[in-house]
Amino acid sequence: MNTRTSSPTQAPGILAGSANPHLAQAIARHLGVPLVSRVIERFPDGELHVEVQENVRGCDLYLVQPTSPPAEAHLLELLFLADACRRAGAASLTAVLPYFGYARQDRRARGGEALGARLIAGLLEASGFQRVVAMDLHTAALEGFFSIELEHLSAVPVLADAVQPDLPEDAVVVAPDLGAAKLADRYAQSLDRPVALVHKTRISGEVVRAGTITGDVRGRTPLLVDDMISTGGTIEAAVNVLLAAGCQPEITVVASHGLFVGPAAERLSDLPVRRLVVTDSISLPAGFTLPVQVHSVAPIVAEAIKRIHYHQSLRDLVARAA
Amino acid sequence: MNTRTSSPTQAPGILAGSANPHLAQAIARHLGVPLVSRVIERFPDGELHVEVQENVRGCDLYLVQPTSPPAEAHLLELLFLADACRRAGAASLTAVLPYFGYARQDRRARGGEALGARLIAGLLEASGFQRVVAMDLHTAALEGFFSIELEHLSAVPVLADAVQPDLPEDAVVVAPDLGAAKLADRYAQSLDRPVALVHKTRISGEVVRAGTITGDVRGRTPLLVDDMISTGGTIEAAVNVLLAAGCQPEITVVASHGLFVGPAAERLSDLPVRRLVVTDSISLPAGFTLPVQVHSVAPIVAEAIKRIHYHQSLRDLVARAA
Amino acid sequence: MNTRTSSPTQAPGILAGSANPHLAQAIARHLGVPLVSRVIERFPDGELHVEVQENVRGCDLYLVQPTSPPAEAHLLELLFLADACRRAGAASLTAVLPYFGYARQDRRARGGEALGARLIAGLLEASGFQRVVAMDLHTAALEGFFSIELEHLSAVPVLADAVQPDLPEDAVVVAPDLGAAKLADRYAQSLDRPVALVHKTRISGEVVRAGTITGDVRGRTPLLVDDMISTGGTIEAAVNVLLAAGCQPEITVVASHGLFVGPAAERLSDLPVRRLVVTDSISLPAGFTLPVQVHSVAPIVAEAIKRIHYHQSLRDLVARAA
Amino acid sequence: MNTRTSSPTQAPGILAGSANPHLAQAIARHLGVPLVSRVIERFPDGELHVEVQENVRGCDLYLVQPTSPPAEAHLLELLFLADACRRAGAASLTAVLPYFGYARQDRRARGGEALGARLIAGLLEASGFQRVVAMDLHTAALEGFFSIELEHLSAVPVLADAVQPDLPEDAVVVAPDLGAAKLADRYAQSLDRPVALVHKTRISGEVVRAGTITGDVRGRTPLLVDDMISTGGTIEAAVNVLLAAGCQPEITVVASHGLFVGPAAERLSDLPVRRLVVTDSISLPAGFTLPVQVHSVAPIVAEAIKRIHYHQSLRDLVARAA
Amino acid sequence: MNTRTSSPTQAPGILAGSANPHLAQAIARHLGVPLVSRVIERFPDGELHVEVQENVRGCDLYLVQPTSPPAEAHLLELLFLADACRRAGAASLTAVLPYFGYARQDRRARGGEALGARLIAGLLEASGFQRVVAMDLHTAALEGFFSIELEHLSAVPVLADAVQPDLPEDAVVVAPDLGAAKLADRYAQSLDRPVALVHKTRISGEVVRAGTITGDVRGRTPLLVDDMISTGGTIEAAVNVLLAAGCQPEITVVASHGLFVGPAAERLSDLPVRRLVVTDSISLPAGFTLPVQVHSVAPIVAEAIKRIHYHQSLRDLVARAA
Amino acid sequence: MNTRTSSPTQAPGILAGSANPHLAQAIARHLGVPLVSRVIERFPDGELHVEVQENVRGCDLYLVQPTSPPAEAHLLELLFLADACRRAGAASLTAVLPYFGYARQDRRARGGEALGARLIAGLLEASGFQRVVAMDLHTAALEGFFSIELEHLSAVPVLADAVQPDLPEDAVVVAPDLGAAKLADRYAQSLDRPVALVHKTRISGEVVRAGTITGDVRGRTPLLVDDMISTGGTIEAAVNVLLAAGCQPEITVVASHGLFVGPAAERLSDLPVRRLVVTDSISLPAGFTLPVQVHSVAPIVAEAIKRIHYHQSLRDLVARAA
């Protein structure tokens, strides 16, 4: 027990952007507080206008806003809310980003590009945030893009618990590409199943074999895991390789972030995907019709906020995610 | 003649955002240089991707991008381009903002709002710009929102020259509200015409008379001037007051920035507006059908860039605008 | 009622600069606290020496100092006090500027000037202030010159209450120039009187009529309002226009800030000014002999400090001022 | 051809830290310039003293210093040299870090650690560097740890050219772990050979099979590639897996950075390593006796400096490295 | 009694670097708190790894680390610990530097050197410290090298108390050079003894007489005082001058910081030094055999931390040191 | 010869504040350039207004302004000029401070004071200066108060040359207190004369003997040297000690900075001061009647500016000063 820290006596303030108000509401409910009252509206020329309608002076505020598409609008809204809170005398501002857009722009490949993820990080810092809470970042090293504290949560425990009950004995956790290998390991460990890895093998310097599999999938039921599903292209390619390798044609697909943009719904509906599981880090696109099981990250995010706010350690919370 | 400064031997680099490529092209043409080659595109999830495709190392770059609606997208694009240029080794970055969005959010009225214009200024500075070139800002004091140099140009000379030739002898320059009073003065001085001012008079503490006019308009032809036309509401109200005051029903409307959002086209077409004159600081909205005379600010912006680049004084250029 | 914020248990610390110690003392009295003990003195070579003589470690301090003439000396003294407090471990510093000098240098007219107001804002931020409390700023947009919070109070309620009792039925609120138009509106609304506006009309491009009046003043008693009285020149010109327009020769002049520099006393004593009303935001110049009613802003400033300090909303306090 | 940029007329200044003066000398030789004269010495109490002994006012300086062990001493020396140059009026400072120590501390695993790589990046920025040139960073996303420009070179072309001549037809490029997979791909593409990947497969949630191989290695000659060799532990493990899989017992090991710390020499000498190839990014440890082929990165670093200095594009230089 | 400040309810957290863990332990004991649990270790390549092993979120932490030789390693360790604490959510960080290395690099003599002390100050600030506690700095003006608060303690009271009891009546406090003159005055005042001053007199422009003495030392017992003993060279020279001047050959040497590097032990053992007194600001070098009396500064440092932490004044604590 | 740096082709721009326009003019004359045209004036309320009246875009500007009394006004004027130049597009700004006011506030003695010198340094940096040129600073360590380059010139060579011709053979250089000891050494070395030192000796802990002298002054002619003469108090005290010690009653007093405030003229005229020699770093007070020889530092300052501007080394210039 730490006797050096005293818990603040006031509750955390939860402020919802417009990107995912349901998640913010659920987080607030878990914390037993109402959402901070605010207006987010647009002038006739489309310019954003925000107003925090209650007194936040001296408050520690947690602004919940995934920077999902349209990322610019959601990002600017977050920055405007931060400015409003800061000028209204908030004691501290934490950006709660259940999904961190632009995470894939983490390096310049040819030298003429913007370093998008760092640019976003810079804008968040310049706007007065003292802390960022993120979840299943595409690149863990994004933590170093910030000079402020970043707490990196994970939905893996939530999603693993969700698929565990009716997971067949013969299931194998599959990473659809190299980038998902560590994630697959975490699922495998949590679910006590073996792991397999789809990747492209270079036959010679010029010839690339479209996809091969490390690990045993023949006759087994794949649990395909990734951090996000965008257009579904990576999933589609991996499923085709798995089927060619003789897996059971009953695939479960699990991802932390369900963007489902462009042809995603069509692509996924054409595949033998028995079950599609994501979290509510991002609101499902309007008119999205694919059957998908959505598990809430509100409990884990709320727990993280609670610990941060009351000066408790996040170690085991983050450790499960590491 | 200043013997202390040497002109750089290289030409200025003009980089166009996607908000108004025609204006950027025209500016570049005036300067006798090609636009810097660049890609601005979107990934399937809507995330922006920019790439400067030629070598800008050591260049002084001028990024032309009005932050017209959708302001967030145009702003972020500008920041991404700046980041790309900065990391690619550009020697200096100047943001050329023929229209500066969010300029009206220059104070907090009730204390819970964001200070939008300052926020935008802060983002521009945080992204590495060394200088801003703006035009006919809604609030001149925006200059003080920046710690970096801001050069404030004006389209008044261009627009005054445009309406001069067939301006009736009986014309009177009219400001549609108090905020446009100084602008009207500048037109009146340039065109050698009297000025009138529409404003709301408070009859008593509670009763406001919708609009009265200072100055003589009866039987005269109004030249209604403003910095921008957004929904056309201010113009509509002023025209009604002018007509009620017995002006000639042949009104010319002149504004630096033609946003024409929402009901603007419909409103203006219902009024006895003989002539509608704006600049090309903003691209006309797609499908905009109202007859409008568009005069280019490319010459004045190009001249400003030339002077900045070759270390010449902007005094008379800005003085005409003051 | 906000349950998220806890009030600090310690009282606010009020530290007085030498520009207006009486106001600071009055503010402290309203808050029920003694002034923080300090020395402000000059070495034989005129260099300033300050010393905070009691323990301010962990304190939230409010430094009261209008930057009235001599503005440099008062400003530097404020910065020295801030430095002393900051290095002595103060928890936070708020600059309370009942009058903000250099506010009129809010833009560069010709390009070779300093942007004085922004420069001052920058020095205040660089010296460790977390917040500014100002009153009736010459330009409201000065808020955006600061990246830190600025709370903009107004003496209008105090002054309107002061003149209300014996205000004739026929009184009309008059703005002496365009810049005071919004201020006049606020008085008019508060006092339930009509408003009039003195301004220069441009007869043609070259000819300016020295002053005309919008609104009805003939036979009425003017209540001339402005944010500040400096040399009295603006007042003098307006009074002459009003008299020429046939107003009652019994004028009341009201201003938030009474600088009364140079010929002000002489000018005003030559005019039919029945009553001259200002606040104590600035100490009256030594030897100032004109009869003037001074109403204290100590209650409103003290109330603002109390709310800031105890994490209450300033909304209605500022709203009255908006 | 870019006509916007003018080449500087002065040559780049190369300043060598003490970590690898031979490399700095070789770079300078390639550029046809002498090293900047400097003293790096220690006072009796071990405190560092540096002095730049010639005039560097107005110079663009490139400080060559791998932050190899002892990393703190080498880093501080670099910061001291930067300070000396900056205060002596250098026009710009580029940190040339052929090896970037602490690159592996790119995230916090449990929450109580320092984010070492970001800390180092912050110190470099705080000391006045405008640019970093690095080579084969352990994590490419380190670019985003800097707000300044980072140019990421690669020794892969140099090393691939070095092993090409006598590479057997049956050679297979092998990545010793997942982290080296992309690097292996680049070698494979350059050398026109297939690729294989050693990694740990998780048999079930709890059981990890020590190492399996994706790709065909039986009877083939492995070319084992990695970004760095530290203690040799990763290489040793991979070689054992390769041998167990039936590869030819004639292994070539290639790495950009040869740290060879602790038991490295002993470990590697016990393995059937036919050939060990590294670059001179780091000086070999004193008394290192293992036969090792060292290829210089001086040409590629010098070329990068030349292009940066004379405002040429690094695109193809970096593209080969991407 | 100050009623404006409330004491924090939690105890201060003391975190020990590896430079002087015994002192840190003693400070913690004086404060009645355990040391914060942490790991400081080195990877096989010598890179530093730190981990704070308990929850410090919301804590005010005091990091105890003299930057004694090897200064770079001790400094970097301090920066790493600060980074770990900051990212783990510590409320504030105070660097407690009982000895401040590089203090003598406080100006550039010839223009090509680094300004070492300022560089170190900059690194400490860049790493997130809010405050520095130092002791008997070589140059008091180092306070101005920091923009953050620096509290300058002194060991003079501790050391004066230590030598007081058996100080002969005829003792004279001697400064071995001009730089120690003020320090000698403080000892003299505390011990009620006269003072003498050894310095080099310039006989003419070119000829320097090695050392002369101001004040009366003949037949008296010297108490030679300095801020630090490094190689012992300054002491040796002063002792020789004192002996030549006929002092009693029973010299006591007192210094705040006992570095004892290089030939120090040998030099001092060859002199008629009866008693050698230092503090525990720096751990004695391993294998140091000279008889030396070490008095702990733990009480004074602990007292300073207590006062800082509980918002009490350091005035009399520092005043004794001034 | 350094071939890495190219000299700029434009001349340096010299801008004079109002504190010492004659010195600025002399510097400009030495450099063969006219002063930059500017207006410095005051509004009726005493607020400062500056305007740079010619084009300085792209110029390297050197602003000459000793911060002599009234220091606040001179300092603010310098900051205003810097702001005007920066916003007008100057390429770089150097503050040339022949006298640096507030230099004596270089530490806090009791903890409640401001750290004046550092505060001033911070304001200069915040206002956009890239470099400071100072002369005979009261504390050399002030260099570390700046993160920007500070070049520390000295008037000692100028003043030594001035007194050399008719310096008696028996002259002795005397420092009036410990703080001037190093300065006296520099004069002594330059003039090939012995040195003496006046200081207060502590007879016992409580009793201070007003002043004693180290070195031989009996029958010799003192050359009393100090960095500045303020009220003349230090000089008066030293002269009295010297006379009591039997020196020749023909004293020469030399100081870099002649402030001559308060009773200085009267005090000095009462002493047997044969000759009083200062520089023109500060304008003599209006109405100053004491005979004083003023030697100009314009040549040395101009030389420093020339070397800085044309990228030459200041080493020997500064070395003479060290």
Side-chain angles (χ1 to χ4, degrees), chain B residues 36-49:
Chain B
V36 173
S37 179
R38 51 72 179 162
V39 166
I40 301 173
E41 62 190 5
R42 303 234 161 226
F43 290 122
D45 60 359
E47 289 190 356
L48 179 67
H49 177 253

Side-chain angles (χ1 to χ4, degrees), chain A:
Chain A
M1 179 53 200
N2 188 330
T3 61
R4 272 193 316 280
T5 62
S6 62
S7 299
T9 54
Q10 71 271 31
I14 309 296
L15 186 62
S18 72
N20 197 342
H22 289 103
L23 175 58
Q25 185 59 69
I27 291 168
R29 204 158 39 230
H30 273 275
L31 290 163
V33 296
L35 286 176
V36 173
S37 179
R38 51 72 181 164
V39 167
I40 300 173
E41 63 191 3
R42 302 232 160 227
F43 290 122
D45 60 359
E47 288 189 357
L48 179 67
H49 178 252
V50 307
E51 184 173 350
V52 178
Q53 291 174 299
E54 59 179 275
N55 180 30
V56 295
R57 190 171 294 282
C59 289
D60 293 303
L61 293 178
Y62 301 81
L63 283 67
V64 180
Q65 178 89 326
T67 49
S68 51
E72 290 105 316
H74 288 155
L75 175 68
L76 257 286
E77 196 186 289
L78 179 60
L79 302 183
F80 268 68
L81 287 170
D83 191 67
C85 293
R86 193 171 61 80
R87 290 189 182 266
S92 74
L93 300 178
T94 298
V96 179
L97 303 168
Y99 172 71
F100 189 102
Y102 283 99
R104 283 162 295 179
Q105 297 196 24
D106 64 351
R107 75 199 66 184
R108 297 180 300 152
R110 284 179 301 274
E113 307 97 326
L115 197 51
R118 169 66 196 229
L119 172 63
I120 303 300
L123 298 182
L124 290 168
E125 292 202 15
S127 298
F129 285 104
Q130 277 85 37
R131 189 189 292 109
V132 173
V133 174
M135 177 168 285
D136 288 335
L137 288 166
H138 187 70
T139 307
L142 247 62
E143 183 175 357
F145 286 33
F146 290 89
S147 74
I148 55 174
E149 175 192 355
L150 180 147
E151 298 294 347
H152 189 179
L153 308 177
S154 176
V156 169
V158 170
L159 293 170
D161 286 0
V163 298
Q164 176 102 59
D166 40 17
L167 193 70
E169 266 311 295
D170 69 352
V172 54
V173 178
V174 181
D177 59 17
L178 277 179
K182 287 189 178 175
L183 189 74
D185 256 15
R186 279 160 52 201
Y187 276 99
Q189 190 162 11
S190 186
L191 295 166
D192 196 20
R193 290 296 187 285
V195 76
L197 176 61
V198 177
H199 64 118
K200 295 170 184 159
T201 308
R202 192 171 292 275
I203 298 296
S204 71
E206 291 306 306
V207 186
V208 177
R209 192 160 61 193
T212 60
I213 296 176
T214 307
D216 190 11
V217 301
R218 176 162 306 275
R220 310 194 74 150
T221 306
L223 178 74
L224 202 50
V225 301
D226 211 346
D227 64 327
M228 71 169 89
I229 302 173
S230 179
T231 63
T234 302
I235 297 296
E236 185 182 45
V239 167
N240 288 335
V241 175
L242 287 167
L243 292 173
C247 76
Q248 291 292 342
E250 294 244 313
I251 299 171
T252 295
V253 175
V254 177
S256 300
H257 310 296
L259 285 155
F260 301 119
V261 299
E266 195 178 350
R267 268 182 183 157
L268 292 169
S269 65
D270 289 351
L271 298 174
V273 171
R274 184 178 61 99
R275 203 178 166 192
L276 181 58
V277 186
V278 297
T279 78
D280 58 353
S281 65
I282 302 175
S283 301
L284 285 182
F288 188 74
T289 55
L290 213 65
V292 55
Q293 297 174 17
V294 179
H295 293 271
S296 183
V297 294
I300 196 170
V301 174
E303 177 68 18
I305 290 174
K306 186 173 77 64
R307 294 196 189 182
I308 289 168
H309 191 71
Y310 293 106
H311 296 169
Q312 297 164 354
S313 173
L314 272 77
R315 177 176 284 244
D316 63 316
L317 200 65
V318 175
R320 290 172 71 198

Side-chain angles (χ1 to χ4, degrees), chain D residues 87-262:
Chain D
R87 291 189 182 267
S92 75
L93 300 178
T94 298
V96 179
L97 303 168
Y99 173 72
F100 189 103
Y102 284 100
R104 282 161 298 180
Q105 296 197 25
D106 64 352
R107 74 200 67 185
R108 296 180 301 151
R110 285 177 303 274
E113 308 96 326
L115 198 51
R118 168 67 196 227
L119 172 62
I120 303 300
L123 299 183
L124 290 169
E125 293 203 15
S127 298
F129 284 106
Q130 278 85 35
R131 189 189 292 108
V132 173
V133 174
M135 178 168 283
D136 288 334
L137 289 166
H138 188 70
T139 307
L142 247 63
E143 183 176 356
F145 286 33
F146 289 89
S147 75
I148 54 173
E149 175 193 354
L150 180 148
E151 300 295 347
H152 189 179
L153 309 177
S154 176
V156 169
V158 169
L159 294 171
D161 286 359
V163 298
Q164 178 102 58
D166 41 17
L167 193 69
E169 265 312 293
D170 69 351
V172 55
V173 178
V174 181
D177 59 17
L178 277 178
K182 287 190 177 175
L183 189 74
D185 255 14
R186 280 161 53 203
Y187 276 99
Q189 191 162 9
S190 184
L191 296 167
D192 194 20
R193 290 293 186 287
V195 76
L197 177 60
V198 176
H199 64 118
K200 295 169 184 158
T201 308
R202 193 171 292 277
I203 300 296
S204 72
E206 291 306 308
V207 186
V208 176
R209 192 161 58 195
T212 61
I213 295 176
T214 305
D216 191 11
V217 302
R218 176 163 306 275
R220 309 194 71 152
T221 307
L223 178 73
L224 202 49
V225 301
D226 212 345
D227 63 326
M228 71 169 90
I229 301 172
S230 179
T231 62
T234 301
I235 297 296
E236 182 182 47
V239 165
N240 289 335
V241 175
L242 286 168
L243 293 173
C247 76
Q248 293 290 344
E250 293 247 313
I251 299 172
T252 296
V253 175
V254 178
S256 301
H257 310 296
L259 285 155
F260 301 118
V261 299

Side-chain angles (χ1 to χ4, degrees), chain C residues 9-14 34 36 51-61 86-89, chain E residues 2-6 131 143-144 146-151 307-315:
Chain C
T9 54
Q10 72 272 34
I14 309 296
V36 173
E51 184 172 351
V52 178
Q53 291 174 299
E54 57 180 278
N55 180 28
V56 296
R57 191 170 294 282
C59 290
D60 294 301
L61 293 177
R86 192 171 63 78
R87 291 190 182 266
Chain E
N2 188 330
T3 62
R4 273 193 317 281
T5 60
S6 61
R131 188 188 294 109
E143 184 176 357
F146 289 89
S147 74
I148 54 174
E149 173 193 354
L150 180 147
E151 299 295 348
R307 294 198 190 181
I308 289 168
H309 191 71
Y310 293 107
H311 296 168
Q312 298 164 354
S313 174
L314 272 75
R315 177 176 283 245

Side-chain angles (χ1 to χ4, degrees), chain C residues 216-257:
Chain C
D216 192 10
V217 302
R218 176 162 307 273
R220 312 195 71 152
T221 306
L223 178 74
L224 203 48
V225 302
D226 211 345
D227 63 327
M228 71 168 90
I229 301 173
S230 179
T231 62
T234 301
I235 297 296
E236 185 183 44
V239 166
N240 288 335
V241 174
L242 287 168
L243 292 172
C247 76
Q248 293 290 342
E250 293 246 313
I251 300 173
T252 296
V253 176
V254 178
S256 301
H257 310 296

Side-chain angles (χ1 to χ4, degrees), chain B residues 48-105:
Chain B
L48 179 67
H49 177 253
V50 307
E51 184 173 350
V52 178
Q53 291 173 300
E54 58 180 276
N55 180 30
V56 295
R57 189 170 295 282
C59 290
D60 294 302
L61 293 178
Y62 300 81
L63 283 66
V64 181
Q65 177 90 325
T67 51
S68 52
E72 290 105 315
H74 288 156
L75 175 67
L76 256 287
E77 195 186 290
L78 179 61
L79 304 183
F80 269 69
L81 287 170
D83 191 67
C85 293
R86 193 172 61 78
R87 291 189 182 267
S92 75
L93 299 178
T94 298
V96 179
L97 303 169
Y99 173 73
F100 189 103
Y102 283 100
R104 282 161 297 180
Q105 297 196 27

